[in-house]
Amino acid sequence: MQEKYHPQEIESDAQRHWEASAAFSAVEIPGKPKYYCLSMFPYPSGKLHMGHVRNYTIGDVLSRYRRMQGYNVLQPMGWDAFGLPAENAAIQNNVPPAQWTYDNIAYMRKQLQSLGLAIDWSRELATCAPDYYRWNQWLFLRMLGKGLAYRTTGAVNWDPVDQTVLANEQVIDGRGWRTGALVEKREIPMYYMKITAYADELLETLSVLPGWPERVKTMQANWIGKSFGVDVIFPADTHSGMPQALKVFTTRADTLLGATYVAVAAEHPVAQYAARGNPKLAGFIEACKHGATMEAELAVQEKKGMNTGLFVIHPLTEAKLPVWIANYVLMGYGEGAVMAVPAHDERDFEFATKYSLRIRPVIKPSESNLTIPLAQAYVEHGVTFDSGEFSGLEFQAAVDAIAAALEQKGLGEKRVHYRLRDWGISRQRYWGCPIPLIYCDACGVIPVPDDQLPVVLPEDLVPDGAGNPLAKTPSFYECACPQCGKPARRETDTMDTFVDSSWYYIRYACAGQDTAMTDASVNYWLPVDQYIGGIEHAILHLLYSRFWSKVMRDLGLVKFDEPFANLLTQGMVLNEIMFRKTETGRVTYFNPADVDIQTDEQGKRIGALLRADGQPVESGGIGTMSKSRNNGVDPQKLVEHYGADTARLFMMFASPPEQTLEWVDTGMDGAFRFLKRLWKQVYEHVRQDVPAADPAQGKDVDGELKALHFQLHQTIAKVSDDLGRRHTFNTAIAAVMELMNTLGKLEDSSPAARSLTQESLEKIVLLLSPIVPHICHALWRELKPGTELLDQRWPQADSTALVQDEIELVVQVNGKLRGQIRIAKDTKREVIERMALESGQVQKFIAGKTVKKVVVVPGRLVNIVV
RNA sequence: GCCGGGAUGGCGGAAUUGGUAGACGCACGGGACUCAAAAUCCCGCGACUGUGAGGUCAUGGGGGUUCGAUUCCCCCUCCCGGCACCA
C-alpha cells in the first residue's frame, strides 16, 4: 500500500475497474426489489456547475447506499438538449446549435464520468436525437386526436426590430435584449395541451405522495388553485351601444351588490369595438400592448384604465355600470373581464380611487361597523349589509343566496375554477422538436402520418437572431399534403422544451426501443423511486411531468399514476451575479471568478473590477448558478486539484441537501485533510500484520475499547438513518469524523484493540463508500485483500452493543442548566428527583426558595421549578 | 404583488418528537516538529463579566404559549426560489 493518498491515481483506477466490470449496468431481475434513482438531467450548457455536482452526488450516494442494501439499482443519465442557449451560442459563434450542443455533451459527459457516478451509461439519451423526439411528436398527435391538444391564440413578446418572438428572459425592462426595442404583446396562433382537464386529478393525487416535500405539494396545490365561485353575466345596456353581455367569474359573489364598474382587457372584443372611431381609446389599447406579459410584472405595474362610455346592467339591481378597459385585466386569463368591487378588493380600490369611481361598501365585520368612507378596502369575509334582500348574511350564505338568485334569472351559476391554465407548447424557435403538422390549402391542418415520423429537424442551420430559420428554409417547410398530395407547408414552430423533459425518465427504462414509445421494461423500473433535483422545478417541470405521464397512462402506455414516488428537492447553489449594462439596456454578465473585489482598509467592499480590462462591473446580488447569468463555478479545477472524492465529500458536508447553499470553497481543504487522515489511518493499520481476530472483539473489555465499540455501532445506526431516511449527508459525515477522531486517539496496542481497529476501519470505509467511492474502493482492497467493495453489504448496527446501563441526566433549575447526574437506566422517579435536588450547583439555586414542581423527562433531564 | 422557503459564532453548519444552543468542519490564535517553510500533530476559540469556581446575555426584530422555545402561534424586516417562452 502506498503511504500517501494520490487521488488522481486511485480514482482513475477505480473508474477503470467499474467500467471494465460494467458494474453499474442495470438489468431487470424479476423478484429483486428495484430502486430507480433519478437525478434531473442537465442542460448541456458547456460545463458542469456546482449545482450539478450537488445534484448528481446526492443521487449517487443514494444509489450506492441502496445497492449495498441489496436493491437492483438503476441510475441513468441524459441530456435536456434542446433550448434557447444553443441558439444564442449559435448567433454568437456562427456555429449550428447542434454542433455546439454535441460538443458540450461530449465535454460534460467526461466531467460527469470523472466524478465517478454509478451511472448506467448504456441508457444515455439526448432529447435532440430524432429517435427520442419522434415520440414527442407521436404522443402530441395522439393528444390532438383525443382533444387534449388544440389550437388557439396566445400572447407572445414581439421584437419589432428583429421581427422575432422573444422569451421572457430576453425582455429586459420592456425592451428586447439584443435590439433594445420596445417589446409589444402579440396574439398568435399556438398549440395548447389541455392540462386543465387533469387539474382535479393533479390536485387530488398530491395527497398520495407522502414521499414529496410538503412545500412542493403546497406550491403545486396553490398553482392549480382550485376555487369555488360564481359566473356572473352582466347584460349589455344596449342604449349605451354596448354590443354584448359580459361574463365574469368571481369568488366573492357576496360582494356583488358592491360592484360599481366592470373592467375588460385591452384585447377584449368590447374594447376593440369601443375603440372604433375613438382615437383616444385606440391609443390606450395600443399603449397596453407595451405592458407586461409576465405575471410578476403585471402585479406591480401601475394600474391604468380608460372609460369606454359603454354600460352593462347589474344582474340583480339593474343599475347601469360603466365598462372600463384596464391594463391589469388579461385576455386569456378567464373571461378577459372582471367585475370590480372597490370597497372589498385592494386592486379595485386603488383603481377606483385613482379614477374617482364609486366605492360602495356592502360587507362589514360581523361585530362592528365599517368606518365610511373607507380608508382602504375591507377584504376580509364578513356580513353583508346595504344589499337589499341579501343583507345580514355570512359569507357562504350570501354567496349561496346570490348565486341562486342569479341562476333563477339565467344570469349566472356556481362554478369551480382553476388558476391553472392550459399549457402553450408552441415556440417560434429553431432548436426544438418540430410540431408534426402540415397546412394544406385544400385540406386544412393535417397531422403528419405516423409512418412519416419523426419530422426531422435539420441540424445544419445557423440562426441569426431575426426569426426562426426553419421558416426561411424551404427544404424543411415545403412538403406534400399527406391527404391530397398537393404542395403544402409544414409547421415551423417547435415544442416547448418542457415537453422533452416531461417523459425522459420513462424512456430511460426502454432505451433503444425503436418501434414504440415504451415497452414492458417500463413497468419494471417505473415509477421512479427517488427523484432528485432543484427546488426551482417544484412547479412547472414536475407538474408537466405528472400531467404527461397521466396522459400516457390513459393511452395505455404506462401503468403508474404518479411518476415520482419520492422527491428530494435540493436547494440551489447560489453565486454572485456580475454584469454591465449599456444605455440601450443590453446586459453582459461576467463570471465572478474573473472579477476582483475592491475593498477598503477595513476589508469592506467598495467595488468590483473585471480582471480582463480593469473596468468596474456591477453586482446583481446573489442568485442561482446559470448559463444565462454566467455565474457558474466549474468544478473541473477542484476535481483536478483535490480529486472527485474531495469535491463530493465537501459538497455533501457543506450543508443538508434541501438547503440553499451560497457558494464558497473555503472548507475544501478540510475535506481533503479528512481523506488524507483516513488514508493514513488505514496505512498505519495494514502496515503491521493483522493478528487473528480476538474473539473478545471489544465486547467484554472495558474503558476505551468498550466506548469505541459503542460509538462504532452508534455511528453505523446514525449514518444509516441519515443516509436512508433523513438525507442529511452532512451529519452522517460529521458522525464518521467523530468516530475517526476517537479511533485516532486510541492508544491501546493489544490484540483486542487491533481487531476493533480493523472492524472500525472496515465499517468506516463501508459507511463512507457511497459518498467517497474511489478512496473506499482502494482502501477496502487493503483492508480485505481479495474482495471487492462493490460486493459488500451495508453494515448493520449491533443492537446489543448499543445497550447502556448508565445514563446521564441534565439537571435544570427554572430551565437553566445547573448540573448533571449519572443514574442507572431504570432508576425510579423519586430517586432521580432526590439525586437531582442534591446534585451540583442545584442547592445553591434553590436555597431559600420553594420548589414548586419537578419535571422529569425520562432519559433526558430533570427541571426543578422554584 | 402573489405563492413557497430561509435567517443560529468571523464562516459553512449541528441540535431528528418542545428538553444541555454552537456537534463536525473552515478560518484564526498559541504551541510541538523543522535550519526554515509546507505538511502533520497538540491546545484554544460566541459575547460580556469574574483572580477563580462561576455568572449574565445570546439562535434576524417585537410579542405570546410553556416548567422549558432555534423548534409552536401572531406581527415585522431582510434574503432566496417560482410566477406559465431560462432550464
Side-chain angles (χ1 to χ4, degrees), chain A residues 141-149 198 551 554-555:
Chain A
L141 293 176
R142 301 288 86 73
M143 290 169 77
L144 204 64
K146 293 190 76 177
L148 286 171
Y198 286 77
V551 171
D554 291 346
L555 288 165

Side-chain angles (χ1 to χ4, degrees), chain A residues 4-75:
Chain A
K4 289 259 158 28
Y5 170 47
H6 295 294
Q8 278 70 22
E9 253 170 70
I10 65 163
E11 288 181 6
S12 52
D13 178 65
Q15 286 167 18
R16 266 196 308 274
H17 176 78
W18 297 330
E19 203 190 332
S21 57
F24 308 121
S25 90
V27 273
E28 292 100 77
I29 305 169
K32 193 171 175 186
K34 61 95 184 177
Y35 186 77
Y36 181 2
C37 184
L38 178 73
S39 290
M40 289 183 186
F41 63 167
Y43 178 79
S45 56
K47 293 171 179 174
L48 292 187
H49 57 65
M50 295 314 297
H52 292 129
V53 176
R54 193 181 200 188
N55 198 156
Y56 303 136
T57 304
I58 294 168
D60 203 44
V61 171
L62 295 174
S63 293
R64 289 175 181 269
Y65 170 68
R66 291 292 171 187
R67 179 194 177 107
M68 290 175 81
Q69 289 193 317
Y71 286 88
N72 188 25
V73 173
L74 165 61
Q75 185 178 219

